[in-house]
Structure formats: structure tokens, C-alpha cells
Amino acid sequence: MLTEYNVHKLLSMSIIVSIKYNEDVNFYNDYYSTITGFNLKEFNKIEAEYVCGINFNFFIKDDEFQD
């Protein structure tokens, strides 16, 4: 259930998964967990739930990506 007390987790994970998808070189999850304020175990769990929740669909159509 998404609430005002956990929406930051969704936002943080959306940004980090986007960074990981778009960048050639990424940091380890322990770095990302530190900057988001989650412990590593919680971060990994949230990331797994997030990517499963979007059905691993990272593809963006060209017309959506273009300005």
C-alpha cells in the first residue's frame, strides 16, 4: 500500500533503477543504499519488488524518448 510515509521509497527506487538502466558504469548497491538512507538488505528487497512490479519492462519507445 502506497502512503505518504513510504512514497519516498518508490521515488528513490524509480530514480536509481533509471540511473542503472541508462548509465554504462554504476555504483554498487551499498552506495545507493547509503544515499537513500535504506540499509542494504532493505534496498535490495525494494529494488527486486520494483523491477518485478514493472515486469522488468525497461524499454522506452523512441517516440516517447525523443523531445
Side-chain angles (χ1 to χ4, degrees), residues 9-61:
K9 292 179 181 182
L10 177 64
L11 178 62
S12 298
M13 198 52 61
S14 299
I15 293 169
I16 290 172
V17 168
S18 297
I19 290 169
K20 286 180 163 187
Y21 179 75
N22 286 302
E23 296 297 324
D24 293 331
V25 178
N26 291 294
F27 295 102
Y28 293 109
N29 278 359
D30 60 344
Y31 174 77
Y32 290 122
S33 68
T34 301
I35 63 171
T36 57
F38 307 136
N39 66 48
L40 182 58
K41 187 175 180 178
E42 180 184 21
F43 180 88
N44 290 334
K45 180 182 175 197
I46 294 169
E47 182 180 32
E49 289 176 359
Y50 182 85
V51 296
C52 288
I54 62 169
N55 296 319
F56 294 85
N57 185 10
F58 300 108
F59 181 74
I60 301 171
K61 297 176 188 172

